[in-house]
């Protein structure tokens, strides 16, 4: 298999859509309070995401890859409808105010996710950092599509403005993951580099899965 086929197989093994938390969301059996708790936890990851991109960007040589990372960072941060603002709008639609979300504390699984992504992007090489983001962004379009369907069908979401965060990522992460795919493939010039990319992808996919374990723990209790 090519390196990208290998990485995609690793991600598919830990596909977020296979997790019981998202399956409950998409079946309409997830309690609203669990959605609210998840929204507060995810806020911390979304707030940190631009710093992952910045860390990779600072190490990247001039050229197409660095430009694509900058575009991704711009998409995250610019304007009134930046991605964190869109997430807070989703939180508001769940009955959470911004102050409450900002004051929330990340649980152990959320902290592990943020710390793992931060270390991979800051301390790993460019390819490993991008493989880490690829483990997340390659899944995002399909995850966003199913989340929207669940919100509309089971949770009373009718105003597109309330789930705009997911609509945006359904489209934009197609382009982001395509750029990451190209850069990661180019980074696998030796067997050692390929192994590093595989390890980074597996670690990221596992941390994302455990993040949902943390969100789902409240449902099970």
């Amino acid at each position: 298999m090519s390196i990208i086929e290998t990485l995609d197989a690793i991600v598919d093994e830990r596909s977020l859509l296979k997790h019981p938390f998202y399956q409950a969301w998409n079946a309409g059996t997830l309690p609203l309070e669990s959605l609210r708790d998840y929204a507060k936890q995810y806020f911390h990851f979304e707030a940190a995401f631009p710093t992952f991109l910045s860390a990779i960007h600072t190490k990247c040589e001039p050229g197409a890859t660095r430009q694509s990372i900058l575009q991704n960072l711009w998409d995250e941060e610019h304007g009134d409808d930046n991605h964190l603002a869109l997430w807070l709008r989703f939180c508001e639609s769940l009955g959470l105010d911004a102050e409450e979300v900002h004051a929330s504390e990340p649980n152990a699984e959320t902290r592990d996710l943020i710390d793992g992504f931060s270390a991979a992007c800051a301390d790993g090489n460019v390819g490993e950092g991008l493989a880490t983001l690829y483990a997340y962004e390659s899944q995002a379009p399909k995850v966003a599509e199913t989340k929207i369907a669940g919100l509309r069908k089971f949770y009373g979401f009718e105003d597109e403005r309330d789930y705009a965060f997911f609509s945006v990522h359904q489209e934009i992460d197609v382009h982001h993951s395509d750029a990451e795919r190209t850069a990661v493939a180019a980074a696998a010039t030796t067997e050692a580099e390929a192994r590093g990319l595989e390890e980074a992808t597996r670690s990221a996919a596992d941390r994302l899965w455990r993040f949902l374990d943390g969100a789902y723990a409240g449902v099970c209790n």
Side-chain angles (χ1 to χ4, degrees):
M1 292 193 295
S2 70
I3 184 61
I4 295 303
E5 290 172 328
T6 299
L7 301 191
D8 284 342
I10 292 171
V11 173
D12 183 66
E13 187 179 346
R14 272 286 190 251
S15 168
L16 296 176
L17 289 177
K18 297 177 182 177
H19 196 283
F21 182 85
Y22 279 167
Q23 290 182 339
W25 178 325
N26 296 329
T29 59
L30 190 68
L32 184 58
E33 192 56 39
S34 295
L35 260 179
R36 292 181 178 128
D37 289 341
Y38 162 84
K40 288 186 284 188
Q41 290 301 312
Y42 188 88
F43 165 80
H44 299 289
F45 178 65
E46 180 58 36
F49 198 85
T51 69
F52 309 150
L53 292 161
S54 295
I56 302 172
H57 184 267
T58 62
K59 296 183 294 185
C60 199
E61 294 294 328
T65 297
R66 193 165 80 177
Q67 290 169 358
S68 70
I69 297 167
L70 179 60
Q71 181 61 57
N72 195 336
L73 181 58
W74 172 261
D75 291 339
E76 284 285 335
E77 295 271 59
H78 85 280
D80 293 337
D81 286 339
N82 61 77
H83 292 183
L84 192 61
L86 294 180
W87 187 258
L88 287 170
R89 187 185 301 166
F90 171 64
C91 291
E92 182 181 358
S93 72
L94 293 172
L96 300 168
D97 62 57
E99 183 177 348
E100 178 181 2
V101 177
H102 278 275
S104 66
E105 292 290 335
N107 62 27
E109 293 83 2
T110 301
R111 177 50 56 194
D112 179 66
L113 175 63
I114 295 170
D115 289 348
F117 269 60
S118 181
C121 295
D123 301 333
N125 59 42
V126 170
E128 290 165 355
L130 289 173
T132 297
L133 300 188
Y134 181 74
Y136 169 70
E137 292 195 301
S138 64
Q139 299 187 71
K142 188 62 179 178
V143 169
E145 177 185 351
T146 59
K147 281 181 175 178
I148 291 169
L151 290 171
R152 288 173 57 87
K153 185 174 182 179
F154 300 112
Y155 296 97
F157 278 66
E158 297 180 356
D159 189 342
E160 294 181 5
R161 189 175 182 276
D162 292 336
Y163 55 80
F165 178 89
F166 304 113
S167 301
V168 166
H169 284 78
Q170 184 180 354
E171 300 293 333
I172 206 166
D173 278 339
V174 173
H175 306 295
H176 292 166
S177 59
D178 280 349
E180 289 157 1
R181 187 180 294 111
T182 299
V184 168
T189 59
T190 68
E191 289 187 12
E193 288 170 338
R195 286 195 300 271
L197 296 172
E198 291 173 28
E199 291 170 6
T201 303
R202 185 173 291 106
S203 176
D206 285 344
R207 290 175 191 274
L208 287 163
W209 186 272
R210 291 196 296 271
F211 168 75
L212 290 186
D213 283 345
Y216 195 60
V219 181
C220 299
N221 293 336

